[in-house]
Amino acid sequence: MAHQSLQTLHSFTGGLVTALHVIGGKWKPIILTELRRRPLRFGELRRAIPGVSEKVLSQQLREMELDGVVNRDVCPQTVPRAVQYSLTELGITLHESLRPLAAWGEEHELRMLRPSG
């Protein structure tokens, strides 16, 4: 019985570690949310996320593309070439999985922001 509990714990934490790796970083959940609304060009995405630097946004998008949650589509007809970002099916399911976590945060926000003591 204890062996099954350890397997369950490893299964949960292993999956959690994987998910946190993909959404890790201050801006990735926000990027997911913006791209869930509609595909955006880099400049549009940067304007939609106040405070993110061009360098960091570019890096986070590259990581998300490598993880398979973001598509990077180059439109060769435009000069200069336009690049548009959108969520993959995997990215959509990842965004949906964040809804319960966001609901938990909203429910407990005041409690978490209060200084302990």
Side-chain angles (χ1 to χ4, degrees):
M1 182 73 169
H3 181 67
Q4 285 180 332
S5 296
L6 287 176
Q7 280 183 323
T8 302
L9 177 63
H10 177 70
S11 170
F12 175 75
T13 59
L16 187 58
V17 168
T18 300
L20 290 175
H21 167 78
V22 176
I23 62 164
K26 179 178 180 179
W27 304 106
K28 287 181 181 179
I30 299 168
I31 293 167
L32 282 168
T33 299
E34 291 300 326
L35 293 179
R36 183 64 177 113
R37 292 183 178 117
R38 67 183 175 96
L40 294 167
R41 291 169 70 168
F42 185 86
E44 294 173 318
L45 190 53
R46 185 160 180 230
R47 285 188 295 278
I49 306 174
V52 69
S53 71
E54 189 172 314
K55 177 184 176 187
V56 170
L57 179 58
S58 179
Q59 178 184 1
Q60 302 252 301
L61 284 167
R62 197 172 315 116
E63 290 173 7
M64 295 171 81
E65 183 183 4
L66 289 172
D67 287 332
V69 296
V70 167
N71 279 323
R72 180 180 185 271
D73 298 314
V74 179
C75 305
Q77 302 90 337
T78 60
V79 178
R81 288 184 310 179
V83 176
Q84 184 169 299
Y85 294 92
S86 61
L87 292 185
T88 63
E89 288 298 318
L90 186 62
I92 292 168
T93 62
L94 178 59
H95 180 267
E96 294 302 316
S97 75
L98 295 178
R99 286 180 187 270
L101 186 59
W104 184 91
E106 287 175 13
E107 182 178 338
H108 300 287
E109 184 174 23
L110 293 176
R111 181 178 177 193
M112 295 295 122
L113 295 177
R114 231 180 324 154
S116 60

